[in-house]
Amino acid sequence: MDTSVAPSAKTPENGITANAAPKISVKGVTKVFSSKRGEVTALKDLSLDIRDGEFLVIVGASGCGKSTLLNLVAGFDSATHGEVLLDGRPVTGITPECGMIFQQYALFPWKTVQENVEFGLKMKRMPKSEREERAAKFIELVGLNGFERTYPHHLSGGMKQRVSIARSLANDPQVMLLDEPFAALDAMTRQVLQEQLVRIYEKHRKTIIFITHSIDEALLLSSRIVVMTARPGRIAQEITNDLPHPRNADVQLSERYLELKRHIWSSVQAEVLKSMEVETGQ
């Protein structure tokens, strides 16, 4: 793993202390799947620590195991070897401490915005008046006031994703896991939701792991970026994102932004080429 761009002991931008105990620790994880063509090793001996309150973005070639890693952290699946720890405890199944947001919105079509956001709270048997108040708070936070009684089929893609984010936040998870949540959206909506997610992060300081194929998105959102190798997935590089906030047009045109983008693109491109060589047998 390239450690030439290692994080400093403390990032002034967000106050995250690097030498504190990690919120999430992935220790020597290997994940092997069985298929008709035999066994496929998605991840191999992967180790990674994520600090409390960190916004970690993972990029890498298609098929490198990004979503597999996220599923292991969420408890949707288990490692073949190694372990995932949350606050020092092994992740052995789905836990309310982690909230997952997918590319597809996973809303209940027969429930209104309000009912979708309240769903997890209802499962926790929270009193009706309390969950209504809590859901309303997060519906307002994502800018959906006035749509509380609207059903998902009347919402745009961006609005549906806002409902997903509000529902996750209403459940107050310690960790938010986002698997390419904005990939299917148009460029303008994507930018609006990126800015909104940054504001939510700055307000609530959840630990976030975010998967994307977009280097620009990674640079706009993250406090740290991890580049994964071609399959089997390992950590190729860890890069501290020291760009100042707000990451507006001036920042995106700065020499530092372009330097980081070139550096990450070079690393990702190398892994994409390796992946293509493996697929073609060259």
Side-chain angles (χ1 to χ4, degrees):
M1 179 181 70
D2 186 340
T3 57
S4 60
V5 202
S8 58
K10 191 168 185 178
T11 306
E13 192 70 37
N14 52 34
I16 298 169
T17 304
N19 57 7
K23 183 71 176 177
I24 300 165
S25 197
V26 181
K27 293 183 173 293
V29 161
T30 295
K31 179 62 183 178
V32 180
F33 293 99
S34 297
S35 71
K36 294 180 180 179
R37 300 172 63 181
E39 291 188 338
V40 175
T41 303
L43 303 171
K44 185 174 182 181
D45 196 25
L46 186 150
S47 295
L48 176 66
D49 286 340
I50 299 104
R51 300 183 294 278
D52 188 24
E54 184 172 19
F55 198 135
L56 181 79
V57 175
I58 301 175
V59 297
S62 294
C64 71
K66 300 186 296 295
S67 294
T68 298
L69 176 58
L70 212 63
N71 286 335
L72 295 178
V73 174
F76 294 154
D77 205 347
S78 57
T80 307
H81 303 291
E83 62 180 352
V84 178
L85 304 177
L86 175 62
D87 287 328
R89 302 186 303 274
V91 175
T92 57
I94 298 172
T95 167
E97 294 169 318
C98 292
M100 188 82 162
I101 299 172
F102 302 94
Q103 181 176 338
Q104 299 303 322
Y105 316 113
L107 301 179
F108 298 112
W110 60 89
K111 292 183 180 291
T112 64
V113 167
Q114 179 84 22
E115 291 167 340
N116 267 286
V117 176
E118 284 185 32
F119 179 77
L121 305 176
K122 189 175 182 179
M123 292 300 99
K124 293 179 180 179
R125 300 186 182 278
M126 181 179 287
K128 187 174 187 293
S129 60
E130 187 177 343
R131 70 173 185 258
E132 286 178 348
E133 181 180 351
R134 185 170 181 82
K137 170 186 172 183
F138 288 103
I139 289 170
E140 180 180 5
L141 183 67
V142 299
L144 286 177
N145 299 68
F147 291 91
E148 292 86 349
R149 297 184 180 181
T150 304
Y151 289 91
H153 65 274
H154 289 303
L155 301 176
S156 67
M159 294 169 77
K160 290 176 185 176
Q161 201 58 289
R162 290 190 214 182
V163 179
S164 297
I165 293 169
R167 181 173 60 184
S168 180
L169 287 168
N171 284 295
D172 196 26
Q174 297 177 30
V175 179
M176 292 182 68
L177 308 171
L178 298 97
D179 193 354
E180 297 193 71
F182 307 147
L185 305 177
D186 63 87
M188 186 61 70
T189 302
R190 186 170 187 161
Q191 182 177 338
V192 169
L193 288 187
Q194 287 167 352
E195 293 170 356
Q196 196 164 43
L197 182 59
V198 169
R199 287 197 298 271
I200 290 169
Y201 169 69
E202 290 174 344
K203 181 174 182 179
H204 293 273
R205 287 297 174 185
K206 301 290 185 184
T207 303
I208 296 179
I209 306 177
F210 188 106
I211 289 176
T212 183
H213 280 96
S214 168
I215 295 173
D216 286 305
E217 186 165 66
L219 287 169
L220 289 171
L221 297 177
S222 68
S223 56
R224 181 163 59 116
I225 298 168
V226 163
V227 180
M228 288 183 63
T229 67
R231 191 173 66 225
R234 294 181 297 274
I235 306 303
Q237 285 198 342
E238 299 179 36
I239 301 158
T240 299
N241 186 354
D242 55 9
L243 292 169
H245 288 277
R247 291 172 180 164
N248 52 27
D250 289 338
V251 172
Q252 293 173 52
L253 293 172
S254 68
E255 183 54 40
R256 180 56 176 161
Y257 185 96
L258 297 175
E259 177 189 8
L260 284 170
K261 186 173 181 177
R262 285 191 295 266
H263 181 81
I264 297 165
W265 169 242
S266 176
S267 181
V268 172
Q269 184 183 45
E271 296 304 326
V272 169
L273 291 173
K274 287 180 188 176
S275 178
M276 292 173 64
E277 288 171 2
V278 170
E279 289 177 359
T280 59
Q282 295 179 356

